[in-house]
DNA sequence: AGACCTATATATAAACA
DNA sequence: TTGTTTATATATAGGTC
């Protein structure tokens, strides 16, 4: 974006790509920080370089924002969209505490089924069950809060 | 940053603050998108307006990045830093698939303990157990992937 | 790798439609 | 609200060290 206009596409040279990643990541974190300060908002930014290093920014903290996001997110683990531009979306806030069914974690499996030995299919079932339970936990927490406060 | 230099501090006027939030959020998402495209990186941005609305951007998807982050993050839920600037940090990559203990979900509770009737304390225990299990699932999936691909 | 430089592209505050 | 317009502040590609 500067000396000469660059097209927004993958940089082929590895060293150059990493330099750009570092510079732009810093810029991104700064922008996020300014957004939080000026608008009294909460934000988290998580990036992974191609090399696999993770970098995160968050206000008031990464984890606080992720925890809050979890309570909004009804389908974590299922969205998959390659078009970065269109993947910016508003998260509907009303999905938060919907409980879909009453199936729990141990409906038709042996109690000591080990995650470490599961197949992909079993893991997917477990993942669904955990999503379900998470929703129940959120619903129950909200119930307690509404009774208490 | 423009007509006149503005100090990076909280905007008091509510309407103006929201306008700025919208504009800067769009800018932030665009920057994140460019970072992903140019550097072939993965990134997620999550923001909450003061009004409580959540907005998220992610490439390849918000959930993919969060799941990957979970497998790096050893202490989700415990970090708390008010200084946004210093809260940008590198996440050590070697924490990835370490599973801290072997406690599962039903170690000392009755099998049909109902989420709908749990106390806050019980819910917190359950939440920890689910976090633990989620990490195990991610570790197992990574293992399968490394064996398969 | 980083830190600085500099010219140019972008982002954006304020105003208005 | 949402989209302009415009003037100016920032971000950053491509260098150099």
């Amino acid at each position: 974006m500067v000396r000469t206009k660059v097209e927004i596409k993958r940089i082929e040279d590895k060293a150059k790509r990493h330099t750009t990643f570092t510079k732009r990541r810093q810029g991104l974190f700064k922008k996020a920080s300014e957004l939080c300060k000026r608008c009294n908002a909460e934000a988290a930014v998580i990036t992974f370089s191609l090399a696999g290093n993770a970098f995160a920014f968050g206000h008031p903290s990464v984890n606080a924002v992720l925890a809050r996001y979890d309570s909004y997110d009804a389908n974590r683990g299922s969205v998959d969209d390659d078009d970065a531009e269109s993947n910016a979306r508003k998260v509907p806030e009303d999905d938060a505490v919907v409980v879909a069914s009453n199936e729990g974690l141990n409906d038709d499996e042996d109690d000591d089924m080990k995650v470490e030995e599961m197949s992909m299919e079993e893991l997917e079932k477990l993942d669904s069950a955990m999503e379900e339970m998470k929703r129940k936990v959120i619903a129950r927490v909200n119930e307690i809060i509404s009774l208490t406060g």
Side-chain angles (χ1 to χ4, degrees), chain A:
Chain A
M1 286 96 174
V2 298
R3 280 286 177 140
T4 166
K5 172 155 180 168
V6 298
E7 196 187 346
I8 296 299
K9 53 170 279 197
R10 182 189 146 96
I11 298 170
E12 292 305 330
D13 182 61
K14 199 177 170 183
K16 203 172 284 184
R17 190 169 61 225
H18 187 256
T19 301
T20 295
F21 176 78
T22 302
K23 284 184 174 182
R24 280 180 171 269
R25 177 170 46 74
Q26 288 169 353
L28 190 65
F29 284 5
K30 186 178 179 187
K31 287 284 184 191
S33 169
E34 291 181 355
L35 177 69
C36 293
K37 284 178 181 163
R38 262 177 90 53
C39 304
N40 211 233
E42 297 189 2
V45 182
I46 297 171
T47 64
F48 287 91
S49 70
L50 248 200
N53 284 130
F55 299 84
F57 163 89
H59 176 85
S61 74
V62 175
N63 294 317
V65 176
L66 296 194
R68 194 172 173 191
Y69 181 74
D70 280 344
S71 75
Y72 275 78
D73 189 10
N75 64 343
R76 178 142 166 212
S78 69
V79 177
D80 198 354
D81 190 338
D82 247 331
D83 180 14
E85 222 73 356
S86 72
N87 204 14
R89 64 194 166 88
K90 181 176 181 302
V91 178
E93 73 179 63
D94 295 327
D95 289 354
V97 293
V98 175
V99 178
S101 86
N102 276 318
E103 291 170 328
L105 209 43
N106 296 290
D107 280 352
D108 49 27
E109 321 250 29
D110 220 344
D111 204 13
D112 52 5
M113 182 74 181
K114 280 206 148 110
V115 173
E116 287 80 0
E117 297 163 6
M118 285 186 184
S119 69
M120 206 62 196
E121 189 184 347
E122 288 161 336
L123 289 166
E124 278 167 359
K125 274 191 200 166
L126 178 57
D127 187 47
S128 296
M130 287 169 68
E131 284 293 332
E132 192 90 43
M133 183 175 285
K134 189 165 68 178
R135 290 197 196 94
K136 287 190 194 177
V137 168
I138 291 166
R140 175 64 180 144
V141 168
N142 285 333
E143 188 188 8
I144 290 174
I145 288 172
S146 70
L147 293 173
T148 309

